[in-house]
Amino acid sequence: MTAKAVDDVAPAVPELETIVSLAKRRGFVYPSSDIYGGINAVWDYGPLGVELKNNVKRAWWKAMVQERDDIVGLDAGILMHPQVWITSGHVGSFSDPLVECQTDHRRFRLDELPGAENLTATDIRDPTIVQRLGLTCPVDGGPLSAPRRFNLMFKTFMGPVEDDAAVIYLRPETAQGSYVNFKNVQQSSRKKLPFGIAQIGKSFRNEISPGNFVFRMREFEQMEMQYFVRPDDAARIFEEWLPRRWDWYTHYGVAPARLRFREHAPDELAHYAKKAIDVEYRFPFGWKELEGIHNRGDFDLSRHQAESGANLEYFDPATEEHFIPWIVETAGGPDRAAFTFLIDSYREEDVRGETRVSLALHPDLAPYKVAVLPLLKKRPEIVELCHRLLKDLKQDLMAVYDDTAAIGKLYRRQDEIGTPWCVTVDVDSLEDLAATIRDRDSMTQERVPIEGVKRAILDRMAAARA
Ligand code: GAP
């Protein structure tokens, strides 16, 4: 692990378009409502994308809930009491700085304008910043308005009457569901401090300048964990989560050289945070946040206690103290994580004069674990043997059959979607009842009895996990 900020690291893939076109062509991600021209910043996950994203979520849940005694899961509603978002500070301050071109009325996020990339949080709050830096509209060069705060929460109405009393919000983070359920979870699962609540679910933000494919969307998912601790343990526990979260990304294949930690400057900290460190990844469009780790102090539970009147104190039977726990949060998302795994696993290499494209995805993340391929699709006995094997594999694994091309092309297709192993059934298989397992990364082949194929694949998956 390194905390060093390295600026000269090349991205795994120079052009984002390489990943976007592979994702669309092979069925990972499509623009939402594509036949109507798409809708900005919403993307749909296709057959392979939904497998990849589900696998990312499963891997996170395994690390954060299944393998731990001190963290339990929750699935809170997307719609919450509107007071939650007033208390949390989101109604008052969950906003980005927006500037508008006076001639073409296009709107931009101030800190993403050319010439404004390195603004401090204090600069962003400066009403004279546009004049001070001489910023103009990047499209037509027109004058820009002074920045104003634009709240990112989507509003909607609950019930049949569209008046102010019925206004509610689509949640912009899953975290608040864990805070308002703190007592329910702690008491029903009889947890003692420190303990955590993990959630995966949809969040919504009306981003001013979404983009870079699934990096910043208006509808996305989060994987957030809120860890409730004694106040005097918070600083130490915060530091302990940093390497855990770093190691999770590297265990699933992200190159450590393309990760770094970045601490938020004091004037950049969110309203709730005492300390925040992002795990950043070197995307093709620069170093960007992959996940945030936050020491939120007692902000959340104190505020909810004060506004709701509910007692959110924890009673420590060992010390006989009553106090509001502090919260250490790990806040990531499966969209950004899956995107990162796609980019970082992308390989191009020359094999006998041809470019071989492969996704070196960790087997637990790969959409299909194994493909069953007949060497001769015209021989019904071979096809039948393939289908028997496929049926058996599908009891335990995502497996796929393909006979629509010659074997070399079938291998390339599976390489490009990250399938770690292909099993080829050939004429000899009819005699020796064995098949060939071909490895995606090394391209080496091993002959295995057909009845032992599933065991061999499961063993290789277990070895990749170690
Ligand atoms: N509860 C704290 C919180 O929400 P955040 O840094 O705003 O913190 C956490 O969001 C994570 O959610 C991000 O690191 C990212 O993985 C994901 N995320 C946030 N906004 C997103 C967006 N517009 N599109 C995709 N993922 C997003």
Side-chain angles (χ1 to χ4, degrees), residues 85 89-98 148-155 169 172 205-208:
W85 305 109
H90 283 81
V91 170
S93 55
F94 189 57
S95 55
D96 276 340
L98 177 140
R148 67 181 171 86
R149 303 303 304 187
F150 174 79
N151 195 291
L152 301 183
M153 281 198 296
F154 279 99
K155 277 184 194 167
Y169 302 95
R205 295 182 189 178
N206 197 5
E207 302 277 2
I208 299 169

Side-chain angles (χ1 to χ4, degrees), residues 94 172-175 179 205 207 214-224 226 272 278 289-292 294 296 329 331-337:
F94 189 57
E173 62 171 15
T174 61
Y179 305 148
R205 295 182 189 178
E207 302 277 2
V214 295
F215 177 80
R216 186 171 290 131
M217 297 186 282
R218 293 196 167 112
E219 174 180 342
F220 56 96
E221 283 190 89
Q222 291 188 305
M223 308 187 289
E224 297 195 298
Q226 315 301 323
Y272 52 76
D278 289 342
E289 174 189 334
L290 184 51
E291 169 158 349
H294 312 131
R296 301 180 64 122
E329 172 187 55
D335 303 287
R336 251 179 227 185

Side-chain angles (χ1 to χ4, degrees), residues 377-442:
K377 71 169 177 180
K378 290 197 175 113
R379 292 283 296 269
E381 318 90 281
I382 295 183
V383 172
E384 198 205 316
L385 201 50
C386 283
H387 281 293
R388 277 216 306 274
L389 175 59
L390 182 73
K391 194 170 172 208
D392 181 40
L393 289 166
K394 276 174 174 274
Q395 298 298 311
D396 296 283
L397 297 159
M398 280 301 294
V400 66
Y401 172 81
D402 192 3
D403 66 6
T404 56
I407 193 69
K409 193 155 184 194
L410 295 181
Y411 283 152
R412 296 290 177 269
R413 276 188 199 157
Q414 296 301 324
D415 290 342
E416 203 187 30
I417 60 171
T419 309
W421 299 288
C422 291
V423 180
T424 310
V425 178
D426 54 27
V427 182
D428 292 343
S429 307
L430 299 173
E431 297 299 319
D432 64 4
L433 294 181
T436 304
I437 301 182
R438 180 252 195 196
D439 184 274
R440 175 196 65 201
D441 299 333
S442 64

